């Protein structure tokens, strides 16, 4: 039997500055642009900012779009924690909106990465996110230089590496 394949529209849109930092306004503008272009899925592999009612409202207003969201990469010591019980929350993952799929990171043994946040209520699934070979900027950002991440290609860890897999 023949199946039907639905291909999502892929928009190679980057928001943020040259160092990879995102302002809330960048996130909102990116969502609005993707929505105006008919996107059906947004890879939201960013996080770390605080709870922002405007970002939450922008995600809610894009109810026809699925947001694949990074669960976050742990505390200041790099240790993952449950975002179900986190007092301060991890955003946007902690919004728990119906059009969001929140993703944790696993290793090559299908075990949760030690840095990966998790949660039975707010995290929906896990995908490979440890030692993922990925392209990297040709010119190192300040954060890449700080952690000696090579340019062009690098093995990277993070829930931001797991979200594009989903």
């Amino acid at each position: 039997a023949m199946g039907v394949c639905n291909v999502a529209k892929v928009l190679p849109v980057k928001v943020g500055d040259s160092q990879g930092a995102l302002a809330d306004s960048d996130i909102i503008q990116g969502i609005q642009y993707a929505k105006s272009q008919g996107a059906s899925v947004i890879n939201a592999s960013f996080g770390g900012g605080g709870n922002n009612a405007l970002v939450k409202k922008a995600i809610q207003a894009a109810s026809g779009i699925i947001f694949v969201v990074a669960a976050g990469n742990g505390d200041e010591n790099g240790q993952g924690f449950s975002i179900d019980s986190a007092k301060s929350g991890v955003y946007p993952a902690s919004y728990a909106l119906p059009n969001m799929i929140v993703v944790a990171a696993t290793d090559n043994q299908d075990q949760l990465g030690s840095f990966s946040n998790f949660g039975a209520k707010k995290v929906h699934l896990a995908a490979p996110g440890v030692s993922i070979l990925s392209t990297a900027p040709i010119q190192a950002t300040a954060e890449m230089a700080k952690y000696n991440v090579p340019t062009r290609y690098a093995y990277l860890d993070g829930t931001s590496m797991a979200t594009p897999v989903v």
Side-chain angles (χ1 to χ4, degrees), residues 77-100:
N77 298 315
Q79 185 62 46
F81 58 88
S82 173
I83 66 171
D84 289 347
S85 60
K87 291 181 178 100
S88 61
V90 174
Y91 297 96
S94 291
Y95 291 140
L97 297 172
N99 59 330
M100 290 179 21

Side-chain angles (χ1 to χ4, degrees), residues 20-47:
L22 289 171
D24 291 334
S25 60
D26 293 327
I27 296 167
I28 293 166
Q29 287 176 350
I31 292 169
Q32 290 170 342
Y33 177 77
K35 188 175 176 181
S36 75
Q37 297 300 304
S40 56
V41 177
I42 292 177
N43 171 23
S45 55
F46 55 82

Side-chain angles (χ1 to χ4, degrees), residues 52-103:
N52 182 304
L54 294 175
V55 171
K56 182 177 182 180
K57 186 175 180 179
I59 295 170
Q60 286 174 311
S63 61
I65 299 174
I66 300 295
F67 286 76
V68 184
V69 179
N73 298 330
D75 60 19
E76 61 278 351
N77 298 315
Q79 185 62 46
F81 58 88
S82 173
I83 66 171
D84 289 347
S85 60
K87 291 181 178 100
S88 61
V90 174
Y91 297 96
S94 291
Y95 291 140
L97 297 172
N99 59 330
M100 290 179 21
I101 298 171
V102 180
V103 183

